[in-house]
Structure formats: C-alpha cells, structure tokens
Amino acid sequence: MAPRLCSISVAARRLLGPGPRAGDVAAAAAARFYSKDNEGSWFRSLFVHKVDPRKDAHSTLLSKKETSNLYKIQFHNVKPEYLDAYNSLTEAVLPKLHLDEDYPCSLVGNWNTWYGEQDQAVHLWRFSGGYPALMDCMNKLKNNKEYLEFRRERSQMLLSRRNQLLLEFSFWNEPQPRLGPNIYELRTYKLKPGTMIEWGNNWARAIKYRQENQEAVGGFFSQIGELYVVHHLWAYKDLQSREETRNAAWRKRGWDENVYYTVPLVRHMESRIMIPLKISPLQ
C-alpha cells in the first residue's frame, strides 16, 4: 500500500509542476507582512497628534513675554510638634523682611497643607526681574541678621525642605491678592519629558472653561529643581464649592477633549488642599 501512495504523490507533483522553494515562501510572507505594516502605519498616522519641531526652549514659548517674573515655591515638612511654633515664627518674621523695598521679592501665598502631605507648609514668592532679582535678594539676605536668626531657629523645626524655580504660563492669570476665606488646591503634574509644549497648547484652549467662578489663581512650570513639573493653583470657597465647580466643567463642550489629550502626558499627579496662613496675600 505504501508504494502506491508514494507513486500517487509523485504523479501529483508532476501534474502541479515544481512547488515554491523555501526562500520564495519566506519572501512572500515578508512582503505580505511589510504591506500590512505599512498600511497600518499609514492609517494610524492619520490620528497621531503631531507636534512641530521647535527651535526655542519651551520656557521661551510658554512663558509671559511682557513680564520677567520668576517664582519660587518652597515645601517645608515640619516636625508635627512644632507646626504651631513654625507658623507663629513665619508670621512674625516674613512680613518684616518684605517691608524693605530694596528686596525685589514679594510674597504671593503661604499655606499649611490640610489634605495631602500633613504638617507641611507651602510658600510661593515672586521675583520681579527674573534671575538677577533672585540673586540680588539672596545676596542681601546673607547679610541680614534677623533673617539668619530666623533660618537658624526655623531649621530646628523642620524635617526636610525642597524648592523649585518656576515660570508662569502665558495664558494663566497672574496671581493677585484675594480676600477670604478660601481654600486652595495645588494640583501638581509630573509630565513625560518632551511633552510640555503639547500640555501648554491644550491648556491654552481649555483654561476658559475654568474661569467662570474665578477659581484659576495661577499656572506654573518648573525651570530649576525637578523638571517637567506643572503646578496649577485654584481657589474655592470650600470643598463643596470645589466639587460643584469641577463637575460644571465637564458639562462644557471641549473640556473633555482637553482631559483626553493631556492625561497621556502625565507620569504622576498630586492634589493638595491648603489653608492660608494669616500673612498670606491669598486668603
């Protein structure tokens, strides 16, 4: 029986002619794969959000041109047993330092974190004149005995501290003093490197959806310290007002699109609810 099967197989091959070689099969498969891959890539490219190549730093493209303000944000993690003493010392000394007109620096806001990292103080300063103003201020403080004593006493109350130098987005409000009482939310976004321009483009269109209740206080991005970090500062009457204001944004056409395009740019995000200190211009 076996020889008969073998002869049928030989006859069949003679009728069909020579079959494809292994190399021909592999080449044909590769061609089909390449064709499908190219077709898929072309189709996908229709939906990819393209960002034009830039010749300037994102700080030049996104910051305000009409001002040369530089901001410093500082986070102090305070020993829990010293928080009240820390607040009292800060409220006693900082206003006196800023009464001196020779310091090109102004307080923007001072807070304790209510929800988020506990026993934490957050301070925001504005340097009118950019980096030269910052250096001028630092050099003068080195010779200020009251400030040096303040720092010495304060250091005994702290667990850690960190800061960042920031620029403000051109499309955000510049922080101005506010009457209270308000609570403040500091939303911090750590972006994927290379995505700051795309973030700015989307928020430049979307900020209008968050202006009706005047909740937008300021928007900043880091220049020194941890990079590709964005801070959005919001003000609300209370937590219920925050909830209602944020929910109202979702009912506005276009807000969902901003969220859709910006969420993939974020590596990590954090929200702090903060209470102003008595000396804070933002109450």
Side-chain angles (χ1 to χ4, degrees):
M1 194 68 178
R4 184 182 176 188
L5 285 174
C6 182
S7 63
I8 291 174
S9 176
V10 171
R13 284 199 299 272
R14 286 172 180 169
L15 286 172
L16 294 173
R21 291 172 296 177
D24 296 335
V25 173
R32 287 194 299 271
F33 176 81
Y34 179 79
S35 176
K36 288 181 180 178
D37 187 61
N38 267 7
E39 183 180 349
S41 298
W42 175 83
F43 183 74
R44 287 194 300 270
S45 71
L46 296 177
F47 300 96
V48 172
H49 184 67
K50 293 185 174 62
V51 178
D52 294 334
R54 302 289 182 179
K55 296 182 179 178
D56 294 317
H58 65 244
S59 59
T60 303
L61 296 167
L62 295 174
S63 60
K64 293 185 176 178
K65 305 296 188 298
E66 65 275 14
T67 66
S68 56
N69 291 334
L70 180 71
Y71 290 81
K72 180 172 78 170
I73 191 167
Q74 194 155 46
F75 300 91
H76 289 170
N77 291 317
V78 184
K79 296 175 183 178
E81 65 271 24
Y82 282 112
L83 185 60
D84 289 339
Y86 170 92
N87 288 340
S88 297
L89 180 64
T90 300
E91 290 169 345
V93 176
L94 281 189
K96 284 195 251 179
L97 293 175
H98 291 281
L99 286 175
D100 190 336
E101 296 181 356
D102 285 340
Y103 289 89
C105 171
S106 58
L107 284 176
V108 176
N110 312 81
W111 303 268
N112 286 148
T113 299
W114 183 23
Y115 288 101
E117 283 195 66
Q118 297 292 282
D119 305 309
Q120 186 181 70
V122 181
H123 304 282
L124 184 64
W125 286 274
R126 180 192 295 117
F127 295 88
S128 302
Y131 292 108
L134 171 69
M135 297 309 299
D136 184 29
C137 200
M138 287 178 59
N139 290 331
K140 287 176 178 176
L141 287 175
K142 287 178 184 177
N143 299 313
N144 187 309
K145 293 182 179 179
E146 186 174 15
Y147 174 73
L148 295 175
E149 176 60 25
F150 164 67
R151 283 196 60 171
R152 187 197 64 77
E153 188 175 351
R154 186 189 66 184
S155 67
Q156 301 171 17
M157 305 177 183
L158 299 181
L159 292 169
S160 65
R161 59 196 179 104
R162 63 185 174 89
N163 59 25
Q164 289 176 317
L165 293 180
L166 314 170
L167 295 177
E168 56 188 329
F169 284 109
S170 60
F171 48 85
W172 269 78
N173 309 331
E174 183 172 318
Q176 298 295 335
R178 291 187 179 221
L179 298 176
N182 295 294
I183 63 170
Y184 289 82
E185 181 176 19
L186 182 66
R187 294 179 71 89
T188 299
Y189 304 87
K190 298 181 180 180
L191 305 186
K192 298 174 184 176
T195 61
M196 189 66 75
I197 294 290
E198 192 170 356
W199 176 275
N201 287 342
N202 281 286
W203 267 96
R205 294 187 293 268
I207 189 64
K208 62 186 177 184
Y209 302 118
R210 298 296 309 274
Q211 296 277 23
E212 286 186 6
N213 294 325
Q214 299 183 348
E215 68 267 27
V217 178
F220 313 92
F221 58 97
S222 61
Q223 282 292 283
I224 295 179
E226 188 173 2
L227 299 178
Y228 284 97
V229 176
V230 169
H231 298 289
H232 290 176
L233 184 61
W234 310 92
Y236 305 100
K237 291 300 179 185
D238 49 38
L239 288 175
Q240 183 60 36
S241 170
R242 172 187 177 273
E243 179 75 5
E244 292 169 358
T245 301
R246 288 176 55 80
N247 287 341
W250 284 99
R251 295 192 289 270
K252 297 170 184 173
R253 185 177 180 182
W255 175 250
D256 57 341
E257 183 179 341
N258 175 59
V259 174
Y260 177 82
Y261 282 116
T262 55
V263 164
L265 311 180
V266 178
R267 292 186 294 110
H268 176 78
M269 59 188 294
E270 181 180 6
S271 170
R272 289 177 177 83
I273 301 297
M274 308 184 302
I275 305 297
L277 298 185
K278 294 176 184 177
I279 61 170
S280 177
L282 290 168
Q283 284 294 310

